[in-house]
Amino acid sequence: KLCSAAGHCVSYEELKDLKKNNITHIDVRERWEIDRLGRIPESINIPLSELVEALQMSPEDFREQYHQKMPSKSDHVVFSCLAGARSKQALDFALSLGFS
């Protein structure tokens, strides 16, 4: 299960349905984990250690660094990791930066 700020958790199947809509999926695993375990299709890999800086970049710098459109503070964003602890931290970071 994946959980949101409101405490709403989504299953993998629900996430697949959400990805059909306009959401940004940020995978906060380390790059070596992506290399070893595989990339999640249509996700942006931003290791947790880079996330706060990444979410404060200009949209141009974000696109140059991550090759994707930067999410706005009102966009729907899903964070994922291997076990859930880092994605919860990522959510907390995003909320502290004004993401809703």
Side-chain angles (χ1 to χ4, degrees):
K1 294 273 185 190
L2 304 162
C3 300
S4 73
H8 176 73
C9 295
V10 296
S11 69
Y12 174 71
E13 292 301 319
E14 289 171 318
L15 176 61
K16 284 186 357 184
D17 287 341
L18 285 172
K19 289 182 82 151
K20 293 175 186 174
N21 297 314
N22 192 22
I23 69 157
T24 301
H25 181 187
I26 299 176
D27 184 343
V28 295
R29 293 179 294 160
E30 296 297 325
R31 287 184 180 85
W32 68 265
E33 291 176 281
I34 302 295
D35 292 342
R36 182 184 291 168
L37 302 171
R39 182 180 170 277
I40 300 170
E42 301 170 12
S43 67
I44 306 169
N45 176 231
I46 304 175
L48 184 62
S49 61
E50 297 176 20
L51 186 66
V52 171
E53 181 180 346
L55 294 179
Q56 296 181 86
M57 288 178 167
S58 71
E60 296 80 18
D61 288 345
F62 187 94
R63 182 175 292 282
E64 184 176 317
Q65 176 76 25
Y66 299 106
H67 311 289
Q68 300 281 339
K69 176 185 169 283
M70 181 176 180
S72 74
K73 292 188 177 188
S74 62
D75 285 348
H76 295 280
V77 179
V78 173
F79 297 100
S80 65
C81 64
L82 189 60
R86 289 175 287 178
S87 58
K88 173 64 173 120
Q89 283 184 285
L91 176 61
D92 291 342
F93 288 155
L95 290 171
S96 74
L97 293 171
F99 285 78
S100 57

